[in-house]
Amino acid sequence: MRSAGGLLLIACIAAPSSALANAWAQPKGQGQVIIKYEALEADDGYGPDGAAAALPAQRLESAARLLAEYGLTERITVQLKADYQSGEDAFVDYDGRGPLEIGLTWQAWRSDYSAVSLYVGYADAGEGRNAGYADPGVGEHDFEVRAAGGTSWVFDRKGAPDQAFVEVEAARRMRDGLPDEVRVDATAGAWYGDWLLLGQAFGGQTDDAGARWSSLETSVVRRVGDWSLQAGWRQTVAGREVAILSGPVVGVWRRF
């Protein structure tokens, strides 16, 4: 199942999906930019006991998100995240910048098929929602430490994908003005030629036994040279004191 083609897989993972599989650092002097737009809405939310109930009014959220990363060395990648948000619910109507985050990923270990990395980042809060469970504008500064580990495969049998990978990340986010959080994310992808089938799970909870969330995002990515186009759907599937949001996600990726 695995072969020397595993080196090609790592290159493909670094090509359009390394921002989604953070265990693999960007090669020195190379990078990528991903711009995504999501339009989510919710009629229900999870209460303190985790049971779903109707919201006082529909909640609408839209965001244009930027993720850029660049390989400073073969083992260190700089990463920038930013977004611009707008939304409304029964209590607020907002429009403004979300959190602005900059960080460094260090490639702690890497083989032909697997990788482990550590990330440290700093975020400056904006006028939008700095946490999905918080009111707009609440929060000041955040620090995050994150560990990511992933592995990959190359297949050579009929009906199987050309290449595939899985990754798990665990993070601790220390927040000023909001409760600290623990987060666990997972990503799985399978390449069929220039098509990538991608599945992601995002989960976390606050230290104060307040909010808890789990969401899934599935998407299809089409690679065209240095460009890639993404279309998918995001859905909140479980939680506590969070809205049950769902809606489409589209993105444009560009390697350089």
Side-chain angles (χ1 to χ4, degrees):
M1 181 173 63
R2 288 182 171 180
S3 70
L7 294 174
L8 174 61
L9 171 60
I10 297 303
C12 289
I13 288 177
S17 60
S18 63
L20 304 171
N22 292 305
W24 285 270
Q26 287 285 346
K28 180 181 178 180
Q30 298 182 33
Q32 68 178 349
V33 174
I34 296 178
I35 298 175
K36 295 177 68 175
Y37 177 78
E38 57 189 49
L40 309 179
E41 60 182 48
D43 295 308
D44 302 308
Y46 292 113
D49 59 356
L55 296 174
Q58 187 180 56
R59 175 167 163 174
L60 302 175
E61 292 188 2
S62 63
R65 304 190 187 279
L66 168 71
L67 191 153
E69 56 182 13
Y70 181 78
L72 297 177
T73 72
E74 292 299 332
R75 301 183 66 181
I76 298 178
T77 295
V78 62
Q79 189 177 91
L80 175 69
K81 299 178 183 179
D83 62 47
Y84 192 89
Q85 310 172 7
S86 62
E88 60 181 85
D89 58 25
F91 308 102
V92 295
D93 188 341
Y94 64 95
D95 187 277
R97 178 179 67 84
L100 178 64
E101 181 171 338
I102 188 169
L104 293 175
T105 296
W106 172 57
Q107 186 82 81
W109 174 81
R110 180 167 174 170
S111 70
D112 287 351
Y113 308 104
S114 303
V116 174
S117 70
L118 299 175
Y119 169 85
V120 178
Y122 166 79
D124 178 63
E127 301 81 25
R129 292 190 189 274
N130 297 296
Y133 54 83
D135 291 333
V138 176
E140 296 296 335
H141 308 283
D142 298 343
F143 291 93
E144 181 171 295
V145 292
R146 178 176 291 261
T151 192
S152 56
W153 300 267
V154 172
F155 300 88
D156 57 6
R157 59 178 184 265
K158 187 176 180 179
D162 301 326
Q163 308 151 341
F165 69 93
V166 295
E167 183 203 56
V168 176
E169 303 181 25
R172 176 70 173 169
R173 197 168 185 94
M174 288 73 71
R175 319 201 70 162
D176 181 9
L178 287 169
D180 295 345
E181 301 172 1
V182 174
R183 299 181 178 184
V184 178
D185 304 329
T187 301
W191 283 99
Y192 293 84
D194 288 325
W195 292 90
L196 170 63
L197 303 181
L198 192 62
Q200 296 175 272
F202 308 96
Q205 66 178 35
T206 60
D207 284 1
D208 62 356
R212 179 184 299 168
W213 61 92
S214 298
S215 62
L216 299 178
E217 183 176 314
T218 57
S219 58
V220 177
V221 180
R222 177 68 163 95
R223 181 174 52 196
V224 184
D226 291 333
W227 295 84
S228 295
L229 304 176
Q230 179 184 10
W233 188 267
R234 177 173 290 193
Q235 174 73 54
T236 305
V237 295
R240 187 174 61 199
E241 298 186 11
V242 293
I244 305 176
L245 291 161
S246 63
V249 177
V250 295
V252 177
W253 307 0
R254 177 67 164 89
R255 283 198 55 77
F256 59 90

